[in-house]
Amino acid sequence: ISPTNGQATVTIRDNDVPGSLSFDWGYAQEGRNTTRVAVYRRDGAVGAVTVQCRVATPGGTATPGSDYTFPDPPPTLSWADGDVSEKYCEFTVIDDDEREPNETVILELFNPTGGAVLGTRSTVTVTIEDNDHLPVVTSVTPNAGPITGGTPITIRGRNFGPGTVRVTLLGEECTNLVRVNDGELTCTTPA
């Protein structure tokens, strides 16, 4: 404080900042097509900011083109001054009709603008849950036989393995069961 006029100059430091950008958790399932992973703006909201998202390198266990597709060029997420709403990094999961373990896609945020910084979750692992675990029968050849049983049949479909497979007809198990492949079984009908 000045002794001559009783005034002082006080400097107030601005603590308003553009904020940090981080992913939420990620989950996807075959058969749901578009997967949205939320991105949040936290710890500040001053000014317009953007960030891009892409598949990281390495990008997880899922195969691009057969398990998922990601936009090219990578999408840009934008927030206006004061905007703290969640935005979404989106990609498409392909329903491939193949029985397989759950797979992953690793996404990353990059190229923040407007003074924003990447938060602690600038990468996220998205698990794609397989929906092809139930067996599906598409044909049985022949589709008729004697009531005494003993007819060799071929069963075609998908998701017949791996693991234990049982075939029953009217509550009775077939005999001589052979898994030819994931889409074909042979057995002998019971009486």
Side-chain angles (χ1 to χ4, degrees):
I1 298 175
S2 167
T4 58
N5 62 13
Q7 295 180 348
T9 301
V10 178
T11 302
I12 300 173
R13 292 190 182 167
D14 186 9
N15 65 353
D16 294 322
V17 294
S20 64
L21 307 171
S22 294
F23 278 116
D24 195 8
W25 60 278
Y27 170 80
Q29 186 177 41
E30 286 184 354
R32 291 197 178 169
N33 297 328
T34 300
T35 295
R36 303 171 80 196
V37 181
V39 179
Y40 292 98
R41 181 183 192 182
R42 295 202 166 107
D43 305 320
V46 172
V49 300
T50 65
V51 71
Q52 291 180 281
C53 62
R54 65 183 171 203
V55 176
T57 304
T61 59
T63 304
S66 61
D67 293 316
Y68 71 93
T69 59
F70 197 84
D72 186 23
T76 299
L77 311 178
S78 302
W79 289 262
D81 181 28
D83 183 6
V84 292
S85 62
E86 62 189 43
K87 309 297 180 186
Y88 297 97
C89 182
E90 297 181 347
F91 65 99
T92 302
V93 175
I94 298 170
D95 193 358
D96 57 13
D97 288 334
E98 291 180 32
R99 187 174 183 182
E100 57 197 350
N102 291 345
E103 298 172 303
T104 59
V105 177
I106 301 172
L107 302 179
E108 66 181 353
L109 296 174
F110 72 104
N111 195 25
T113 66
V117 295
L118 297 179
T120 56
R121 294 200 66 189
S122 61
T123 64
V124 65
T125 300
V126 179
T127 300
I128 300 174
E129 183 180 275
D130 185 52
N131 68 348
D132 301 306
H133 55 280
L134 298 175
V136 176
V137 174
T138 56
S139 70
V140 177
T141 308
N143 62 3
I147 195 162
T148 57
T151 304
I153 61 172
T154 300
I155 304 165
R156 290 193 175 84
R158 64 179 184 269
N159 303 327
F160 294 158
T164 303
V165 175
R166 290 180 49 223
V167 174
T168 60
L169 299 172
L170 300 174
E172 299 294 322
E173 271 195 60
C174 281
T175 58
N176 306 318
L177 179 65
V178 174
R179 182 186 354 230
V180 177
N181 56 48
D182 187 51
E184 185 175 324
L185 305 171
T186 61
C187 69
T188 304
T189 60

